[in-house]
Amino acid sequence: MGRSPCCEENVGVKKGPWTPEEDEKLIDYISKHGHGSWRTLPKRAGLNRCGKSCRLRWTNYLTPDIKRGKFSEEDERIIINLHSVLGNKWSKIATHLPGRTDNEIKNYWNTHIRKKLLKMGIDPETHKPRTDLNHLMSLSQLLGTSNLSSAMNTTWGNNPLGLQPDITQLAKIQLLQNLLQLMNNYSFVNVGNNPYLLSNPNLNPLFLNGTNLFQTNKEPHVVFSGSEEYANPGLYSQAQSECSQQDVSKSWADLEGGSIPQDTDYNKISNTTTSRENQAENPLPALVAFSTKMGTVNQMDSNIAQTSTESPSNTFFDDWEKLLDDETSGRSYWKEILDLTSTSASPILW
DNA sequence: AAGTCTTACAACCGCGAGCAT
DNA sequence: AATGCTCGCGGTTGTAAGACT
């Protein structure tokens, strides 16, 4: 086992960008003889490169049927769909996009889609609403600003910020959704240490209107408006079957109707490593790393949950208090948000 | 025009699976 | 079963090109 000595042997081999001459040599050789053993190919083809570099250059750039150029919206949708099911299995995703390489898809994800999702308030890792406090605070500020604006200008047409009513409503719903997600995730980690959160209605907006929304057992997830997101059964089931582990089917089953068992041993969860692995072992909704002023923490980290006496949790509650100060200062949009969600279902969220 | 920052993407690195011996 | 090797994968880095100041 262990690492291949391939490149270590070849001290002095060229690295970095390929020249057109090198490309030509490689194409010429492979078209005549096939690649055979990549390890020995450079010597046979007269290239001062390691076999690995040749393979990469061929598969990612020189293969004849490779499709270059911009990804279409359809491509993008497929990638997002498959990523939600397969995670960072770029090579698996690439098999559904003929002519596209795993490397290209990976790059496209990291440079375009990831940012797009983040802008939309969606965690690109979990495909669920973001729960980081910065995002919540910015939504909160947006709402605060819009409320202030509407107080100053009774008609939206005069709104100096150009905020439209539907955008504001959307932001409200998203804020609520993010909070639900945050509370859902946070509760089983820290509530034990912070009974204050759940017992204090002022700090727990989910108790507003006498309704404990925390009892919801339906994990919020995102459905992209106007797309077949999560709604392409053929593609989904195919991708799902490709995903070797039990994680996806389990987490999907949980998403689609699972409830939170009362006797879950959360200590077990802290031994897992990634959010997707967590999903596999954990019947709870997917876990999202979120950032606080103290930095990014993993919500599943029981060390934080059980040993941390100040910091992430304190900061968290500080932020919460700040966020909820608006309630006491007369800007009661929590109630508005809840009223809104009880009277209308958003076509975009849930 | 020059310097700095950001973005996009090609290429590299290291790990692990799988196969052969 | 143990070992060595090849290949493929996913994460990361380097750098050219474009945008911005």
Side-chain angles (χ1 to χ4, degrees), chain A residues 132-182:
Chain A
D132 59 283
L133 283 166
N134 288 339
H135 181 61
L136 292 184
M137 290 301 284
S138 63
L139 277 172
S140 168
Q141 279 164 13
L142 173 67
L143 292 176
T145 317
S146 70
N147 279 8
L148 192 65
S149 310
S150 59
M152 291 166 70
N153 305 280
T154 49
T155 59
W156 282 97
N158 295 333
N159 182 352
L161 296 175
L163 288 168
Q164 300 300 312
D166 56 340
I167 292 174
T168 311
Q169 286 205 342
L170 195 62
K172 284 176 180 174
I173 292 169
Q174 196 182 353
L175 177 56
L176 176 66
Q177 188 180 19
N178 279 260
L179 286 168
L180 281 171
Q181 170 89 6
L182 181 60

Side-chain angles (χ1 to χ4, degrees), chain A residues 202 208 323-335:
Chain A
N202 292 325
L208 286 176
L323 189 66
L324 292 163
D325 272 347
D326 290 340
E327 278 301 308
T328 52
S329 63
R331 286 193 283 156
S332 182
Y333 48 78
W334 290 117
K335 195 168 182 312

Side-chain angles (χ1 to χ4, degrees), chain A residues 10 35 81-82 85 117 236 266:
Chain A
N10 301 323
H35 63 73
N81 273 331
L82 290 169
V85 178
L117 292 178
Y236 165 65
Y266 298 120

Side-chain angles (χ1 to χ4, degrees), chain A residues 80-81 83-85 122 126-128 221-224 227-233 236 252 256:
Chain A
I80 294 171
N81 273 331
H83 187 273
S84 73
V85 178
I122 297 161
T126 61
H127 295 255
K128 291 175 185 174
H221 61 283
V222 179
V223 177
F224 288 88
S227 81
E228 310 87 333
E229 181 71 4
Y230 298 127
N232 186 336
Y236 165 65
W252 271 80
E256 283 161 4

Side-chain angles (χ1 to χ4, degrees), chain A residues 71-84 93 97 108-109 113 116 127 224-232 235:
Chain A
F71 282 78
S72 67
E73 281 186 26
E74 179 62 20
D75 289 342
E76 205 169 292
R77 273 203 295 273
I78 291 171
I79 294 169
I80 294 171
N81 273 331
L82 290 169
H83 187 273
S84 73
I93 293 172
L97 293 160
Y108 188 69
W109 175 271
I113 301 177
K116 215 180 215 180
H127 295 255
F224 288 88
S225 170
S227 81
E228 310 87 333
E229 181 71 4
Y230 298 127
N232 186 336
L235 188 60

